[in-house]
Amino acid sequence: MLASTPPAKSVEIVEVSVRDGLQSDPAMASTATKVELIERLLAAGIKRLEAVSYVNPKRVPQMADAEAVMAGVPRPEDVTYIGLVLNRRGFDRALATGVDEINTVVVASETFSQRNQAMSTADAAGVWHDIAGHAAGAGIGTSVTVSAAFGCPFEAALPLERLVEVVDMVMASPPDELALADTIGVAVPTDVYERVAAVAQRLEGTGTTLRCHFHNTRNTGIANVAAAVEAGVRVIDASAGGIGGCPFAPAATGNIATEDVVYLLERMGYSTGIDLGALIETASWMEAALGHGVPSMLSKAGAWPPAAG
Ligand code: ZN
């Protein structure tokens, strides 16, 4: 009799420490530090990572070395490098540098969109539609992050109807993946169940997968990951060490830590393909390289059971 094993549940981690993390880190990491961090993440089993940003270097000096970083990293075939682009100029730089995938951002709240990107939500969706056409021609992967998807720092509530409206704006040119970001870290698991279900319904049949990006600003980030995967999301953003956040959102600190997420998911029965022990070592290395502590819990407590880490 053939053994019938159910298909393993797996979750893909998109590692964001090198871009989202270091972008707002006080340490101003050098190109060599970024490349070494990427090498360590790949050695830990990370297969997809946000590595660089092609935004105006005057606005985000920490990310000015995108070309040098991409020239310095190993390029195994099964590893996907993502570059953040916010306009056509950034997209052209991304193409010239040879990243595998571009990510762009559409802010769900009108006020935050104006403050963060100096344009309306509809105009940001328009930028995406323009980039989408060129990306299709270039054969490059695409993802769009809908930020402030769970709440806005300036408008308080971000109604579910508004989120769905913005998702529909984006989906006029369906990206390979759409990410819901809790940019200011206000969501709780009930919000996640509600919003993931509503957005998943809009993506049904389009081929666009759904991903979530949580911040731990109010200590709900890890609970939100649990809710998202239980609601069917299979791609989660996380930042090694838990470094970073958004420099343009007031007090929005606290990306969720990759090691904390990996521990949670593996213990819940989801495989991530990531070596927790190697991640914990990477967190200690980061503390030395950046000259400050990192907020992850697993890097302090260690894995459990002890043999696992
Ligand atoms: Zn983040």
Side-chain angles (χ1 to χ4, degrees), residues 44 258-260 262-263 274-281 298 303-304 308-309:
T258 311
E259 51 271 39
D260 296 358
V262 167
Y263 176 79
I274 296 168
D275 177 347
L276 186 53
L279 274 183
I280 292 174
E281 276 170 36
L298 261 286
W304 185 89

Side-chain angles (χ1 to χ4, degrees), residues 16 20 213-215 245-246 255:
V16 303
D20 190 9
H213 181 109
F214 296 115
H215 282 176
C246 173
N255 275 317

Side-chain angles (χ1 to χ4, degrees), residues 216 219 241 257 259-260 294-302:
N216 205 31
N219 226 13
E259 51 271 39
D260 296 358
V294 297
S296 77
M297 302 302 281
L298 261 286
S299 64
K300 298 174 186 73

